[in-house]
């Protein structure tokens, strides 16, 4: 609206200043006509402009304005000189300077432009200040997009589970925020910056919100990537704005998500220039150093890559407190499920501990998703409450994607898929060190035509045997197809990718191969984190690659042998799968024991 108004005013002034010029616009005359005028005896005076070879003169006119002005361009220097001579001869007074009143006119019209610009500029400044008070506009480049999310306690520690150590460590900060000066009195040193690190969805944002909520202070949140914009200097000014707001609101929590977007390790800037990110990082460091540690601002930042952060950022007095937010373990998962199921109507037989067992490897955000899906599934089925089976389906959906009911497999494809999955299942059940199978299905879901779900235990370290068993289970699908049909299909590409990755990890990084030994060979990365290849000699590389291939071939052969030996069980499992489409742990065990 305001913009339209301004465009209007602008156009008006533009026309006006042009009109002003026009009042005094001399009549344009062709070069050949100049002499006729000079010889007419009416010319009152001439102005010669040498640089542009312009000739201007005035003649009396009949009607007002009483003087008529003319202008013409001389046809060349010779013509110009001739005209000067003619004026001299005709005794017409002439002058090389522009007439003063023309000068004033042009000054006046230029002044209009200046006024216009000044007014425009003032208007822009006003817009900017409006933004500080929260109203938007098109020119607010420098404004931090920090949102004031929770003025009042919204989340508390009761909303967070599965990261008890992190919660414990963070409680101290709540005490500080509740009483900053009291804390200072006893000389306690409170970190200015707390870095939360962990996988996405583990609850880092939630923890920061809970800190603000518990302390009853405002929560200012922003994202590191918002600092990095096209315009140089914008990021830095946003950082300053953010802290400016924080100072006004203190005590408060400032939360910067994805801090790695700003805080990546610095390199040697190409061309010696400071790039936008570095300026932003500098501004951030400056702000962190600048504020008094007892002023009641706690800066919390989150990342899932603490290893790529610039050392300057994690130096004492900055983000010197680092707290890991881990993936939740069994009890943690159960508690998180309980938190999110608070408002769900659950059936009497629902056992969230079982759901927790079924969701190994999931983070808080996934678990929240599982509860939501379960409720949706039950609602869609018009049930009065959510049942265990709804949770089970929700877990599959969250981990594998929705079931693809539209996919119609041919009988042949179905058989193949059944043998493929039966292969995974049998290998998992019969290989020492493999995780037991929880469920196997040939209902297509997400990109997979079927899947075998194992139940890993919460482990903190894995043995070589267990890793090899994982690889064996991965390749067993294809092995079963080969055993049964003598040919292989495309359905297993992901299996082999996983198997190869596991083996690479074992051989390259964990020193788990007899021949290549105990050295660690890691991918090198450049400053931006892009891989630049393996940190090893060409000969070693070849050795490593060969080791992976040999090992994979050996494991594959062993699995094939196992499946040939147990082909009865394989047939029976596949047959049952074709019939029932899904088998649970008990059914699987019964089939294997019976044959
Ligand atoms: P992050 O910041 O680590 O990526 P978030 O805090 O944004 O993760 O988590 C997203 C959502 O997932 C949260 O709002 C919360 O509902 C749920 N969630 C994640 N972790 C937990 C947890 N430990 N306890 C309870 N809920 C969680
Ligand atoms: Zn498979």
């Amino acid at each position: 609206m305001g913009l339209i108004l301004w465009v209007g005013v602008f156009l008006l002034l533009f026309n006006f200043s042009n009109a002003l010029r026009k009042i005094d616009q001399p009549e344009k005359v062709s070069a050949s006509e100049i002499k006729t005028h000079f010889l007419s005896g009416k010319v009152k005076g001439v102005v010669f402009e040498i640089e542009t070879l312009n000739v201007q003169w005035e003649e009396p006119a009949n009607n007002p304005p009483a003087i008529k002005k003319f202008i013409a361009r001389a046809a060349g220097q010779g013509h110009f000189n001739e005209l000067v001579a003619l004026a001299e001869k005709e005794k017409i007074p002439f002058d090389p300077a522009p007439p003063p009143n023309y000068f004033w006119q042009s000054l006046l019209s230029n002044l209009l432009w200046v006024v216009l610009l000044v007014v425009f500029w003032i208007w822009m400044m006003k817009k900017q200040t409006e933004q500080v008070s929260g109203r938007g506009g098109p020119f607010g480049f420098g404004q931090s997009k920090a949102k004031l999310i929770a003025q009042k306690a919204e989340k508390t520690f009761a909303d967070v589970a599965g990261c008890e150590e992190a919660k414990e460590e963070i409680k101290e900060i709540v005490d500080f925020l509740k009483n900053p000066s009291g804390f200072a009195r006893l000389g306690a040193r409170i970190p200015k910056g707390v870095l939360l690190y962990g996988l996405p969805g583990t609850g880092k944002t939630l923890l920061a919100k809970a800190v603000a909520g518990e302390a009853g202070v405002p929560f200012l949140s922003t994202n590191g990537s918002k600092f990095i914009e096209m315009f140089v200097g914008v990021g830095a000014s946003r950082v300053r704005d953010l802290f400016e707001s924080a100072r006004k609101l203190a005590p408060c929590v400032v939360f910067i998500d994805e801090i790695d977007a700003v805080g990546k390790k610095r390199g040697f800037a190409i061309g010696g220039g400071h790039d936008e990110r570095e300026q932003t990082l500098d501004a951030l460091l400056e702000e962190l150093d600048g504020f008094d540690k007892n002023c009641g601002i706690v800066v919390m930042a989150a990342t899932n890559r603490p290893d790529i952060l610039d050392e300057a950022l994690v130096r004492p007095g900055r983000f010197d407190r680092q707290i890991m937010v881990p993936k939740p373990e069994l009890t943690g998962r159960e508690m998180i499920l309980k938190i999110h199921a608070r408002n769900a109507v659950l059936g009497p037989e629902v056992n969230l501990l079982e759901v927790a067992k079924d969701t190994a490897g999931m983070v808080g955000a996934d678990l929240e998703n599982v509860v939501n899906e379960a409720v949706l599934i039950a609602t869609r089925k018009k049930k009065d409450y959510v049942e265990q089976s709804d949770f089970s389906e929700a877990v599959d959906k969250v981990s594998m994607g929705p079931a693809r009911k539209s996919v119609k497999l041919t009988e042949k494809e179905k058989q193949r898929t059944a043998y493929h999955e039966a292969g995974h299942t049998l290998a998992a059940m019969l290989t020492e060190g493999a995780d037991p199978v929880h469920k196997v299905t040939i209902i297509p879901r997400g990109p997979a035509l079927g899947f075998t779900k194992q139940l890993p235990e919460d482990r903190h370290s894995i043995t070589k045997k267990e890793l090899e068993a994982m690889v064996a289970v991965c390749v067993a699908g294809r092995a079963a197809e080969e055993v049964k049909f003598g040919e292989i299909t495309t359905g297993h590409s992901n299996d082999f990718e996983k198997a190869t990755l596991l083996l690479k990890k074992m051989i390259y990084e964990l020193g788990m191969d007899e021949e290549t030994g105990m050295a660690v060979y890691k991918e090198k990365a450049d400053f931006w984190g892009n891989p630049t290849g393996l940190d090893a000699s060409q000969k070693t590389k070849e050795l490593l690659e060969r080791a992976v291939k040999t090992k994979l071939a050996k494991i594959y052969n062993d699995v094939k042998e196992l499946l040939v030996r147990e082909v009865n069980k394989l047939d029976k499992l596949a047959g049952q799968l074709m019939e029932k489409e899904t088998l649970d742990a008990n059914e699987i065990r019964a089939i294997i024991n019976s044959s």
Side-chain angles (χ1 to χ4, degrees):
M1 188 58 218
L3 198 70
I4 294 172
L5 199 76
W6 268 106
V7 171
V9 171
F10 182 83
L11 285 175
L12 206 74
L13 283 174
F14 182 78
N15 283 336
F16 180 57
S17 73
N18 261 357
L20 201 73
R21 277 218 188 103
K22 249 183 226 137
I23 294 174
D24 221 42
Q25 287 287 293
E27 187 183 320
K28 284 212 173 84
V29 169
S30 71
S32 54
E33 271 182 68
I34 309 176
K35 265 195 204 162
T36 338
H37 282 270
F38 279 15
L39 293 170
S40 72
K42 282 197 256 171
V43 174
K44 285 184 65 195
V46 187
V47 175
F48 289 103
E49 246 181 277
I50 299 164
E51 287 90 25
T52 48
L53 298 183
N54 267 350
V55 187
Q56 299 166 34
W57 66 95
E58 295 173 354
E59 288 178 17
N62 300 332
N63 40 354
I67 289 174
K68 207 168 172 198
K69 295 184 175 182
F70 297 89
I71 186 167
R73 257 183 77 79
Q77 190 65 50
H79 184 211
F80 188 82
N81 293 343
E82 192 191 331
L83 291 172
V84 175
L86 184 63
E88 232 169 1
K89 191 172 154 239
E90 294 290 320
K91 301 213 164 48
I92 307 169
F94 64 89
D95 200 332
N101 84 343
Y102 179 74
F103 167 79
W104 281 113
Q105 303 268 324
S106 79
L107 185 76
L108 197 66
S109 79
N110 283 336
L111 215 67
L112 260 171
W113 283 100
V114 173
V115 170
L116 187 74
L117 271 173
V118 169
V119 171
F120 188 67
W121 184 69
I122 291 173
W123 174 71
M124 245 177 79
M125 291 319 270
K126 226 180 95 201
K127 267 275 173 221
Q128 287 259 8
T129 19
E130 268 175 22
Q131 291 217 321
V132 171
S133 56
R135 281 169 281 164
F139 295 102
F141 299 131
Q143 281 307 308
S144 80
K145 290 181 186 160
K147 283 175 287 176
L148 213 59
I149 286 188
Q151 276 285 22
K152 277 250 176 270
E154 207 182 66
K155 297 275 181 210
T156 65
F157 283 148
D159 295 305
V160 195
C163 47
E164 299 312 311
E165 288 89 352
K167 259 162 84 176
E168 209 49 52
E169 263 202 88
I170 255 176
K171 275 191 181 136
E172 185 191 51
I173 292 160
V174 175
D175 296 336
F176 163 71
L177 283 167
K178 277 185 181 158
N179 182 9
S181 48
F183 236 75
R185 195 175 53 83
L186 293 178
R189 211 184 73 84
I190 267 293
K192 279 182 191 172
V194 178
L195 183 71
L196 300 169
Y197 66 95
L199 292 170
T202 43
K204 299 180 291 295
T205 313
L206 187 65
L207 264 173
K209 274 187 195 162
V211 167
E214 288 280 338
V217 301
F219 180 72
L220 278 141
S221 118
T222 190
N223 189 302
S225 62
K226 286 200 184 134
F227 289 134
I228 306 301
E229 298 259 338
M230 256 182 334
F231 307 99
V232 172
V234 171
S237 87
R238 279 197 182 145
V239 169
R240 279 182 219 112
D241 290 340
L242 175 66
F243 280 85
E244 191 56 49
S245 315
R247 268 188 284 270
K248 282 187 203 135
L249 290 166
C252 65
V253 171
V254 174
F255 179 68
I256 308 173
D257 204 358
E258 293 179 41
I259 186 133
D260 40 296
V262 210
K264 255 192 260 173
K265 282 196 180 82
R266 293 184 237 218
F268 307 98
I270 298 156
H274 255 228
D275 72 353
E276 166 68 349
R277 204 170 51 73
E278 268 183 49
Q279 280 191 24
T280 310
L281 179 55
D282 284 340
L284 184 62
L285 295 176
E286 219 169 274
E287 290 292 342
L288 280 172
D289 292 343
F291 70 78
D292 177 12
K293 65 168 168 259
N294 295 317
C295 75
I297 300 174
V298 168
V299 186
M300 299 182 82
T303 180
N304 48 4
R305 301 283 317 267
D307 52 312
I308 61 165
L309 289 185
D310 199 295
E311 283 100 48
L313 206 55
V314 290
R315 214 170 276 156
R318 293 168 180 170
F319 288 102
D320 51 0
R321 184 75 59 93
Q322 299 182 16
I323 300 178
M324 180 172 86
V325 186
K327 266 192 183 179
E329 302 203 348
L330 183 62
T331 33
R333 289 198 300 274
E334 188 190 2
M335 271 147 71
I336 296 173
L337 286 166
K338 277 191 179 145
I339 288 172
H340 292 291
R342 273 190 300 222
N343 297 323
V345 185
L346 302 185
E349 37 67 88
V350 168
N351 184 345
L352 289 179
L353 180 62
E354 285 304 315
V355 182
K357 280 186 190 160
D358 201 3
T359 48
M362 284 196 184
V363 294
D366 301 329
L367 294 168
E368 182 183 12
N369 229 342
V370 165
V371 175
N372 287 342
E373 282 299 334
V375 173
L376 281 177
I377 289 165
T379 311
R380 236 176 270 135
K381 292 183 178 162
K382 302 204 164 46
K383 292 185 185 174
D384 291 332
Y385 42 75
V386 189
E387 290 179 302
Q388 194 74 15
S389 59
D390 302 322
F391 274 104
S392 175
E393 196 178 333
V395 170
D396 288 349
K397 187 168 174 192
V398 169
S399 52
M400 298 291 296
R404 290 186 300 160
K405 300 221 171 65
S406 61
V407 178
K408 285 273 170 284
L409 297 182
T410 62
E411 202 55 25
K412 185 100 185 122
E413 275 175 322
K414 207 169 153 185
Q415 197 188 20
R416 241 175 221 297
T417 311
Y419 269 93
H420 182 101
E421 296 311 327
H424 284 308
T425 303
L426 202 57
M429 298 304 283
L430 300 182
T431 307
E432 201 185 330
D435 293 317
V437 178
H438 173 67
K439 178 177 182 175
V440 55
T441 174
I442 54 165
I443 298 173
R445 200 179 267 285
L449 291 181
F451 68 93
T452 301
K453 187 168 173 190
Q454 290 165 272
L455 264 199
E457 286 153 32
D458 281 315
R459 282 189 278 235
H460 304 97
S461 64
I462 310 181
T463 64
K464 185 178 166 191
K465 196 171 224 155
E466 286 166 342
L467 281 168
E468 283 177 352
M470 279 184 195
V471 178
V473 174
C474 270
V475 298
R478 171 168 156 174
E481 285 184 57
E482 208 189 326
V483 166
K484 193 66 205 171
F485 305 104
E487 54 179 3
I488 42 184
T489 53
T490 53
H492 47 72
S493 53
N494 186 256
D495 289 344
F496 270 74
E497 198 179 320
K498 263 201 290 191
T500 313
L501 273 177
L502 269 169
L503 280 173
K504 260 186 146 174
K505 182 113 192 149
M506 288 170 69
I507 293 170
Y508 285 40
E509 290 175 29
L510 301 171
M512 285 186 176
D513 187 76
E514 296 77 17
E515 201 185 337
T516 53
M518 306 237 279
V520 175
Y521 302 100
K522 283 202 173 172
E523 290 276 332
K524 275 186 296 189
D526 64 11
F527 156 67
W528 289 277
N530 302 317
T532 55
L534 202 67
D535 192 6
S537 73
Q538 193 56 38
K539 219 175 134 200
T540 312
K541 274 186 207 168
E542 280 163 19
L543 200 69
L544 289 166
E545 277 163 11
R546 194 145 17 92
V548 170
K549 260 191 198 156
T550 316
K551 193 89 177 178
L552 190 58
K554 181 176 182 315
I555 292 179
Y556 184 72
N557 264 329
D558 289 352
V559 169
K560 231 167 65 181
E561 265 170 32
L562 171 82
L563 294 178
V564 170
R565 234 184 298 130
E566 304 286 358
V567 75
N568 277 342
K569 291 180 176 148
L570 186 67
D571 286 336
K572 212 159 193 180
L573 262 177
Q576 286 288 302
L577 260 179
M578 299 262 295
E579 201 175 299
K580 295 189 179 162
E581 294 199 325
T582 303
L583 300 174
D584 67 20
N586 289 332
E587 290 167 317
I588 294 166
R589 233 172 282 126
I591 293 166
I592 289 179
N593 292 337
S594 75
S595 47

